[in-house]
């Protein structure tokens, strides 16, 4: 049962990745990439990595892929042409498939197939959280700084000062005082 | 039974497909970034499988960090695409050949 699930999911994952790599339409390859992430998430659930399975869905499907879709909608990329002819592509794909078959055949024959550790009852999320904040606290804060700098960089690259729009002038705001703007009326 | 080797072979196949897509779509910057995400996914599958084999948590924490870095990379990459599109009205890599001799 579990074996059949693995083979089904990995077949789906390979088909989705081929569709990402070979589809001529960007929206279709983005949707295939979302499918690949979902299938990987189920695969991770089946071997007991629940936290990462859900984090993959949240981070990739929820944030990164939505960003990709926005960019594809903003940019006109219909006219992009491929340099490689159809025959060359077919040749490369069949070469790849043959090499995959050879890898699988050799790997299953020779290398030992080590079993994964059994899934325990303890909470995966709790274990990761304790370990992350006890031993990897500094790295966690580095990641926070990297994400902050990525956000600043993205806003600085794309956010444009538009002459039509209204902005606050911070200096002017700070210099403003009560007697400049409020007039007390006599009763 | 499904063991470590199955996951490693699967990750190898997905990584190679990502590499193939990068070579085939090398004129399209968005496709290159998507194939990069696919290759990162294959590496994450490797990390999680080996971590489950050794029964540690460090590999999963590393995957968590890789997810964060990949999100930052995608955000900056897409911002750069927007800037390139505003400047060259295209995101074909052919158009960025100003320094070509």
């Amino acid at each position: 049962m579990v074996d059949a699930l693995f083979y089904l999911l990995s077949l789906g994952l390979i088909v989705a990745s081929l569709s990402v790599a070979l589809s001529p339409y960007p929206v279709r390859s983005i949707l295939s990439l979302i499918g690949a992430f979902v299938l990987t998430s189920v695969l991770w659930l089946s071997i007991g990595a629940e936290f990462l399975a859900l984090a993959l869905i949240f981070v990739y499907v929820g944030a990164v892929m939505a960003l990709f879709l926005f960019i594809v909608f903003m940019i006109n990329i219909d006219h992009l042409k491929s340099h490689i002819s159809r025959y060359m592509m077919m040749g490369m794909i069949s070469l790849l498939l043959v090499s995959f078959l050879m890898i699988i055949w050799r790997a299953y024959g020779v290398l030992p197939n080590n079993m994964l550790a059994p899934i325990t009852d303890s909470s995966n999320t709790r274990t990761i959280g304790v370990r992350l904040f006890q031993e990897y606290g500094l790295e966690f804060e580095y990641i926070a700084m990297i994400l902050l700098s990525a956000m600043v960089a993205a806003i600085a690259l794309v956010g444009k000062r538009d002459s039509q729009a209204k902005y606050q002038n911070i200096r002017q705001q700070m210099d403003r005082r009560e007697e400049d703007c409020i007039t007390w009326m006599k009763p | 039974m499904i063991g470590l080797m199955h996951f490693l072979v699967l990750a190898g196949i997905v990584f190679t497909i990502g590499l193939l897509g990068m070579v085939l779509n090398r004129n399209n910057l968005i496709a290159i970034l998507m194939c990069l995400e696919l290759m990162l996914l294959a590496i994450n599958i490797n990390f999680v499988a080996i971590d489950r084999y050794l029964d540690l948590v460090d590999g999963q924490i590393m995957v968590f960090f890789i997810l964060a870095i990949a999100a930052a990379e995608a955000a900056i990459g897409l911002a750069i695409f927007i800037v390139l599109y505003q400047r060259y009205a295209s995101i074909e890599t052919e158009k960025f050949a100003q320094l070509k001799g």
Side-chain angles (χ1 to χ4, degrees):
Chain A
M1 182 57 207
V2 177
D3 291 18
L5 183 69
F6 174 82
Y7 286 119
L8 209 63
L9 288 174
S10 42
L11 188 69
L13 182 55
I14 291 169
V15 170
S17 340
L18 276 175
S19 166
V20 171
L22 303 177
S23 167
Y25 306 106
V27 174
R28 194 180 291 172
S29 48
I30 287 175
L31 293 179
S32 309
L33 194 52
I34 291 177
F37 285 131
V38 172
L39 289 169
T40 312
S41 164
V42 180
L43 211 58
W44 286 356
L45 270 181
S46 77
I47 58 171
E50 299 109 14
F51 173 71
L52 281 180
L54 292 176
L56 188 77
I57 298 271
F58 292 153
V59 173
Y60 267 105
V61 180
V64 175
M65 286 296 116
L67 202 62
F68 269 95
L69 272 179
F70 278 134
I71 300 301
V72 168
F73 291 155
M74 282 172 75
I75 293 176
N76 179 22
I77 45 177
D78 275 346
H79 56 282
L80 287 185
K81 59 186 187 297
S82 180
H83 284 283
I84 295 175
S85 70
R86 205 128 199 107
Y87 299 107
M88 175 85 175
M89 201 156 102
M90 290 300 160
M92 287 185 79
I93 292 167
S94 46
L95 194 67
L96 208 68
L97 287 180
V98 170
S99 55
F100 286 164
L101 285 179
M102 288 173 73
I103 290 170
I104 292 169
W105 178 55
R106 291 301 292 172
Y108 284 165
V110 177
L111 296 171
N113 189 15
N114 297 305
M115 287 298 118
L116 301 181
I119 300 173
T120 52
D121 258 350
S122 63
S123 162
N124 177 248
T125 310
R126 187 188 176 85
T127 324
I128 289 182
V130 168
R131 194 67 179 267
L132 184 64
F133 290 116
Q134 277 179 354
E135 288 180 38
Y136 293 91
L138 188 62
E139 286 84 349
F140 190 76
E141 296 192 358
Y142 285 156
I143 291 293
M145 293 309 293
I146 287 171
L147 284 174
L148 179 69
S149 61
M151 186 183 81
V152 172
I155 292 171
L157 276 172
V158 181
K160 226 176 15 177
R161 288 252 148 183
D162 192 352
S163 59
Q164 298 286 323
K166 293 191 188 312
Y167 296 99
Q168 357 169 243
N169 186 346
I170 307 234
R171 186 65 187 267
Q172 205 181 359
Q173 275 187 339
M174 301 292 285
D175 283 347
R176 206 159 162 90
R177 276 174 311 178
E178 186 186 344
E179 49 265 26
D180 297 339
C181 41
I182 298 179
T183 314
W184 294 103
M185 309 293 287
K186 285 209 171 85
Chain B
M1 274 299 285
I2 299 299
L4 178 62
M5 192 51 66
H6 292 73
F7 281 93
L8 296 188
V9 169
L10 174 67
I13 290 173
V14 173
F15 188 88
T16 321
I17 291 172
L19 199 62
L20 172 84
M22 222 179 210
V23 173
L24 285 180
N25 298 312
R26 63 179 184 279
N27 200 23
N28 183 350
L29 274 180
I30 287 194
I32 289 177
L33 202 58
M34 276 192 282
C35 291
L36 199 70
E37 300 287 341
L38 205 59
M39 290 157 79
L40 281 170
L41 181 75
I43 289 169
N44 286 344
I45 291 174
N46 258 358
F47 260 114
V48 170
I50 294 176
D51 176 81
R52 286 299 301 145
Y53 165 61
L54 296 173
D55 207 8
L56 301 170
V57 235
D58 302 62
Q60 295 186 32
I61 292 171
M62 203 56 72
V63 173
F64 179 72
F65 289 156
I66 293 174
L67 286 186
I69 298 287
E73 167 250 323
I76 294 184
L78 291 170
I80 290 173
F81 291 173
I82 296 278
V83 174
L84 282 175
Y85 188 71
Q86 283 168 354
R87 179 155 178 183
Y88 296 93
S90 160
I91 54 158
E92 287 176 82
T93 44
E94 271 182 349
K95 298 279 173 65
F96 314 138
Q98 280 179 330
L99 290 180
K100 190 171 67 178

